[in-house]
Amino acid sequence: MDVSAALVAGLVVALIAVFTVVRAVRIVPQARARNVERLGRYHRTLQPGLNVVIPYIDRVHPVIDLREQVVSFRPQPVITEDNLVVEIDTVLYFQVTDPRAAFYEIANFLQAVEQLTVTTLRNVVGSMDLEKTLTSRDTINNQLRGVLDDATGKWGLRVNRVEIKAIDPPQSIKDAMQKQMRAERDKRAAILGAEGQRQSQILTAEGDKQSAVLRAEGNRTAEILKAEGQARAIDEVFQAVHRNDPDPKLLAYQYLQTLPQLAQGPGNTFWVIPGEVTAALEGVSRAFGEVLPQSPATRKTSSDDRSAQAADDAAQAAEAAAEALADAARADESATGRRPPAAPAAD
């Protein structure tokens, strides 16, 4: 019995010793902290690593996270300056810098930060209208961060950033905004269409102008080249005539050959026989009646043959001239229904 009692007592003592050692050794993870109270008063803050406390005397509180934390608060209704209720979601980034103050200065620092964020947000947004609220997120974030950082400093917290996650206006305001945006898009589309049509018409007019200018320049160049060609042709003919030195007899003969062509034209309804025709006939008659200079080939021809040949040529020329006059007279009579006036006598 004595051995059994001693064995049980030894086991109890061993268990108490092991439990005491376990209570005396505390391991704190990195970026964590634990506050220690000794006999009900704050004693110290345990740092990361192995720490030894006095069991049954020192009380170690739960771990406090020293890393930057992110807290997303539920949407809060906020009234703007123009009396519109909007739902605003906020995201808070903060970090515990003083574990003692975070534990002893405030009972629940997360709840305190949330309520402070809501009240500050209502105060900031209440001085803005809806349009300014939707376009001034950076301003709201900076004002919230400044107020929260000042208020939470004594709690051992540091507010790094405050972000507005969403701003939801009422459904009626959303519908009105959609209609406004649709009208703005239609306006921009109409303006762009009008600008495009205007630019197209300008480019078309410029193209027509350049085309007309180029066409006019081409026509001018063509007319100039045509006139230069005609002038050159006339000059060549004039020079050729002067180089050959024709006499009046040849010109009179050519004139008689051209008269039938003038009379047979389809557009000639009235034709006046010029007075020079008689003079031309006389010149031709004299030309064929005169004795031409004899060449070595013609010297062997007898005088009778020359007279007969000249008479035949004169008769043929007179017959051709008479036919031309008759054709011209018939054409004039058929066109006008009256006889043409007689040709004036040659001087």
Side-chain angles (χ1 to χ4, degrees):
M1 291 294 296
D2 295 336
V3 176
S4 300
L7 181 59
V8 172
L11 291 176
V12 172
V13 171
L15 290 176
I16 293 174
V18 171
F19 182 75
T20 302
V21 171
V22 172
R23 293 289 302 271
V25 177
R26 299 298 174 92
I27 298 176
V28 179
Q30 183 65 34
R32 308 289 196 281
R34 302 186 70 173
N35 293 318
V36 178
E37 293 180 353
R38 179 168 292 177
L39 300 177
R41 297 185 61 179
Y42 172 77
H43 177 63
R44 64 190 178 99
T45 300
L46 301 181
Q47 300 299 322
L50 181 63
N51 296 272
V52 178
V53 297
I54 301 176
Y56 312 111
I57 297 177
D58 293 340
R59 179 184 177 186
V60 181
H61 290 283
V63 176
I64 298 176
D65 197 343
L66 302 180
R67 295 173 296 178
E68 185 174 4
Q69 302 180 43
V70 181
V71 180
S72 178
F73 301 132
R74 64 180 184 274
Q76 299 293 331
V78 180
I79 301 176
T80 61
E81 187 180 11
D82 47 357
N83 296 325
L84 293 176
V85 179
V86 294
E87 299 286 337
I88 300 179
D89 296 349
T90 55
V91 179
L92 182 67
Y93 298 83
F94 72 95
Q95 185 178 9
V96 177
T97 58
D98 187 357
R100 177 183 176 280
F103 186 80
Y104 291 103
E105 297 294 335
I106 188 74
N108 189 342
F109 59 85
L110 284 179
Q111 184 180 3
V113 169
E114 179 181 3
Q115 297 300 322
L116 182 61
T117 301
V118 172
T119 55
T120 306
L121 181 64
R122 289 176 178 174
N123 186 25
V124 172
V125 176
S127 61
M128 300 181 180
D129 56 8
L130 177 61
E131 185 176 358
K132 188 175 181 181
T133 301
L134 295 175
T135 58
S136 303
R137 293 196 178 192
D138 292 338
T139 303
I140 298 174
N141 294 337
N142 293 330
Q143 292 183 8
L144 285 176
R145 179 181 177 279
V147 173
L148 292 176
D149 196 18
D150 293 339
T152 58
K154 65 178 181 179
W155 299 340
L157 305 177
R158 183 178 66 219
V159 178
N160 297 325
R161 297 182 64 184
V162 179
E163 295 291 338
I164 302 297
K165 185 168 64 175
I167 301 177
D168 296 329
Q171 187 62 35
S172 59
I173 302 300
K174 291 182 179 180
D175 296 339
M177 293 172 63
Q178 290 179 357
K179 292 180 180 179
Q180 182 180 1
M181 288 188 295
R182 190 180 301 112
E184 289 292 334
R185 287 194 296 268
D186 295 340
K187 176 184 176 181
R188 289 195 297 268
I191 292 174
L192 292 177
E195 288 290 337
Q197 185 177 3
R198 173 175 172 270
Q199 191 69 20
S200 175
Q201 292 177 356
I202 291 174
L203 294 177
T204 302
E206 289 290 338
D208 294 340
K209 175 184 175 182
Q210 294 179 3
S211 176
V213 170
L214 293 177
R215 192 179 299 111
E217 290 180 354
N219 294 335
R220 184 186 66 177
T221 304
E223 292 295 335
I224 292 174
L225 294 177
K226 183 178 179 182
E228 290 179 354
Q230 292 177 355
R232 186 174 298 177
I234 293 173
D235 184 67
E236 292 291 338
V237 173
F238 184 77
Q239 294 295 333
V241 170
H242 278 274
R243 282 196 304 269
N244 294 324
D245 193 15
D247 56 357
K249 299 173 185 179
L250 178 60
L251 296 178
Y253 182 73
Q254 292 292 332
Y255 187 72
L256 289 175
Q257 287 182 341
T258 309
L259 286 177
Q261 297 178 2
L262 294 174
Q264 293 176 4
N268 292 334
T269 58
F270 181 76
W271 188 67
V272 178
I273 300 174
E276 289 82 357
V277 174
T278 306
L281 290 175
E282 292 179 357
V284 172
S285 299
R286 287 196 303 269
F288 285 101
E290 292 177 354
V291 178
L292 299 174
Q294 294 184 355
S295 63
T298 59
R299 289 196 187 104
K300 297 179 182 180
T301 307
S302 62
S303 60
D304 295 338
D305 293 338
R306 289 195 301 270
S307 300
Q309 183 67 29
D312 291 340
D313 292 340
Q316 291 179 2
E319 184 178 357
E323 289 179 359
L325 293 174
D327 292 338
R330 284 194 299 270
D332 182 67
E333 184 178 359
S334 61
T336 60
R338 57 187 180 86
R339 296 181 180 274
D347 294 339

